[in-house]
């Protein structure tokens, strides 16, 4: 295998920016998602195939005012991070999983799939070109945002026949999330079985804004989403999957068609199993959580996602009942998982699961 040169399958035309903007960037102050690297990748799906793959200077798009995405919301995205190992090699955490999930989202939204090889070659080419945009100080990374939109300029409600696939990247600083105060959803829902909750579809996030705003107004950081039929089973929090530590068991809601299949979630389950810590994927009700709290058995609740890795829950309120969780220093499982993932990502511990994609 060693002396076979693997050429990228996909021709990507590169137009470099004339003057890099990197010197204008304060790498010590990088609010999430506001700084963009020099280039972006764009490809068009037309006449049944992907074409015109190109990397161009980051900039505005032009589109038909009747584009499907602007009216009927054919839009999906992914989110992942590139880091540099101590020897300077850029790596991406579980790139193949992100490529697969992107296509699962595409299928649900009736959009063209992006061949995994194109998805990966495009990201590889982007990171190679803008590799000096990967921040190197601890906890920072280059956030990668691939997305796809329906591009047909036609007002009938039907699947678009043309699509635009775009990738841009943002350098992001270390993220130290404050423990969050949650309230269970009582009126609004994020997703229902049979809906689009499993897809990273743009519309899901638009629908979550009002309930989030109302929760903020009442002094809570985020909404804990409940099932749409009975408001009894716990789903997710904000844009993260949830884990509960009850006694010495770890429980995470089973993916049931309404829960986004987080890659961080999946990785946590693998790490827990590897360490012989009991982890259950099953339905969990708010009543079970309240009961455990009353028994003094509710040790931890945390959210899991690419951005924060682990986001500890400080308190959870259901109707008028507020549960305050133990001090963050005592959160054995959440803190262990956060450290473990970060150590794998930065190359501090061996990547025995093969999760790092070396560029
Ligand atoms: C992206 C996302 C997650 C977390 O997924 P990761 O792959 O771990 O980043 C969880 N819930 C929702 C709704 C999401 O959009």
């Amino acid at each position: 295998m060693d002396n076979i040169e693997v050429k990228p399958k996909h021709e990507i035309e590169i137009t470099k920016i004339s003057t890099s903007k990197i010197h204008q960037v304060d790498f010590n102050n990088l609010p999430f998602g506001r700084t963009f690297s020099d280039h972006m990748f764009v490809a068009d799906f037309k006449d049944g195939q992907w074409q015109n793959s190109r990397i161009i200077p980051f900039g505005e798009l032009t589109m038909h005012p009747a584009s499907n995405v602007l009216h009927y919301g054919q839009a999906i995205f992914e989110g992942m991070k590139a880091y540099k190992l101590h020897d300077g090699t850029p790596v991406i955490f579980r790139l193949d999983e992100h490529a697969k999930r992107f296509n699962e989202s595409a299928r649900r939204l009736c959009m063209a799939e992006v061949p995994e090889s194109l998805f990966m070659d495009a990201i590889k080419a982007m990171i190679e070109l803008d590799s000096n945009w990967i921040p190197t100080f601890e906890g920072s990374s280059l956030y990668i945002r691939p997305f796809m939109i329906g591009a047909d300029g036609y007002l009938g409600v039907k699947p678009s026949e043309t699509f635009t696939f775009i990738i841009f990247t943002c350098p992001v600083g270390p993220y130290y999330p404050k423990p969050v105060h949650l309230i269970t959803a009582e009126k609004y829902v994020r997703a229902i079985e049979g809906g689009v909750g499993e897809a990273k579809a743009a519309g899901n996030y638009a629908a979550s804004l009002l309930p989030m705003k109302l929760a903020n107004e009442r002094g809570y950081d985020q909404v804990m989403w409940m099932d749409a039929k009975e408001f009894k089973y716990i789903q997710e929090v904000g844009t993260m999957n949830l884990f509960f530590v009850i006694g010495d068991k770890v429980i995470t809601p089973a993916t049931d068609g309404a829960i986004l299949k987080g890659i961080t979630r999946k990785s946590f389950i693998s790490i827990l199993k590897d360490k012989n810590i009991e982890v259950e994927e099953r339905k969990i009700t708010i009543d079970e959580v309240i009961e455990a709290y009353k028994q003094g058995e509710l040790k931890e609740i945390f959210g899991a996602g690419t951005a924060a890795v682990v986001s500890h829950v400080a308190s959870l309120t259901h109707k008028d009942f507020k549960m305050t969780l133990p001090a963050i220093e005592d959160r054995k499982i959440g803190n262990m998982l956060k450290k473990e993932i970060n150590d794998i990502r930065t190359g501090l511990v061996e990547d025995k699961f093969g999760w790092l994609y070396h560029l």
Side-chain angles (χ1 to χ4, degrees):
M1 276 295 287
D2 284 348
N3 44 21
I4 299 172
E5 195 190 339
V6 184
K7 284 223 181 86
K9 269 201 199 141
H10 304 273
E11 290 296 330
I12 299 172
E13 191 184 297
I14 297 177
T15 309
K16 286 189 189 166
I17 199 167
S18 48
T19 319
S20 174
K21 295 169 297 178
I22 199 163
H23 303 293
Q24 300 164 19
V25 176
D26 176 6
F27 275 83
N28 293 310
N29 177 28
L30 290 168
F32 181 83
R34 289 191 190 276
T35 306
F36 303 90
S37 73
D38 284 332
H39 299 93
M40 63 184 190
F41 172 90
V42 187
D44 306 311
F45 187 85
K46 255 192 287 194
D47 306 321
Q49 57 186 353
W50 286 104
Q51 44 193 283
N52 203 10
S53 294
R54 57 207 187 267
I55 290 178
I56 53 176
F58 181 85
E60 287 174 10
L61 304 167
T62 55
M63 54 172 51
H64 195 289
S67 289
N68 174 304
V69 63
L70 299 178
H71 301 268
Y72 310 124
Q74 271 190 306
I76 57 165
F77 68 94
E78 267 304 321
M80 71 198 97
K81 288 168 165 179
Y83 304 80
K84 272 185 184 162
L85 298 179
H86 292 298
D87 67 0
T89 318
V91 292
I92 297 177
F93 191 72
R94 309 197 78 173
L95 174 59
D96 51 336
E97 292 282 336
H98 287 279
K100 274 193 202 111
R101 189 171 65 188
F102 193 68
N103 283 330
E104 280 165 22
S105 298
R107 283 195 288 274
R108 180 61 184 85
L109 274 280
C110 229
M111 302 173 82
E113 289 182 40
V114 174
E116 277 178 40
S117 57
L118 174 60
F119 190 94
M120 300 194 7
D121 280 355
I123 287 179
K124 221 170 153 173
M126 278 283 290
I127 301 296
E128 252 162 42
L129 194 59
D130 282 345
S131 68
N132 55 343
W133 285 83
I134 307 176
T136 47
F137 47 88
E138 185 158 344
S140 59
S141 59
L142 189 66
Y143 183 82
I144 305 169
R145 171 51 64 91
F147 66 106
M148 184 182 5
I149 54 179
D152 280 10
Y154 167 71
L155 277 187
V157 179
K158 71 172 193 56
S160 194
E161 285 168 17
T162 58
F163 297 93
T164 314
F165 171 47
I166 305 172
I167 305 167
F168 60 71
T169 66
C170 299
V172 294
Y175 185 44
Y176 302 113
K178 276 206 210 104
V180 289
H181 296 276
L182 306 184
I183 178 142
T184 54
E186 278 183 67
K187 179 176 177 189
Y188 296 101
V189 298
R190 190 194 86 88
I192 184 163
E193 288 157 55
V196 290
E198 257 187 14
K200 270 183 124 66
N204 287 335
Y205 306 85
S208 74
L209 297 177
L210 175 64
M212 237 158 64
K213 179 174 165 227
L214 296 173
N216 293 159
E217 282 166 8
R218 293 173 62 193
Y220 302 99
D221 299 303
Q222 302 259 4
V223 178
M224 182 177 279
W225 303 112
M226 309 297 288
D227 82 274
K229 291 175 196 155
E230 298 175 78
F231 284 86
K232 186 171 147 191
Y233 299 102
I234 295 165
Q235 292 184 332
E236 298 191 55
V237 58
T239 57
M240 286 184 289
N241 295 112
L242 273 169
F243 285 80
F244 298 83
V245 183
I246 295 179
D248 46 21
K249 255 189 218 156
V250 184
I251 302 157
T252 186
T255 53
D256 58 357
I259 293 176
L260 198 289
K261 292 178 179 167
I263 293 164
T264 314
R265 173 188 182 277
K266 189 172 174 179
S267 308
F268 282 1
I269 293 170
S270 300
I271 292 172
L272 290 166
K273 286 187 174 159
D274 185 60
K275 293 191 180 297
N276 290 317
I277 297 170
E278 206 174 332
V279 52
E280 295 178 352
E281 289 180 73
R282 62 166 168 86
K283 282 186 182 296
I284 178 165
T285 63
I286 184 66
D287 294 337
E288 179 181 348
V289 174
I290 291 172
E291 195 48 41
Y293 178 78
K294 288 180 175 164
Q295 305 283 330
E297 290 288 294
L298 181 62
K299 307 269 165 65
E300 302 182 36
I301 306 176
F302 54 90
T306 294
V309 185
V310 166
S311 178
H312 293 293
V313 174
S315 76
L316 169 62
T317 302
H318 178 65
K319 302 195 195 289
D320 289 323
F321 187 61
K322 181 174 179 178
M323 295 169 264
T324 301
L325 282 103
I328 302 305
E329 314 79 80
D330 299 335
R331 312 280 182 103
K332 287 203 189 80
I333 302 285
N335 288 329
M336 178 277 286
L337 287 170
K338 180 164 194 159
K339 184 172 182 316
E340 198 69 19
I341 291 270
N342 282 334
D343 288 353
I344 292 173
R345 282 181 175 178
T346 52
L348 253 161
V349 305
E350 191 207 337
D351 173 25
K352 66 175 175 185
F353 300 102
W355 286 341
L356 296 188
Y357 183 85
H358 292 243
L359 291 167

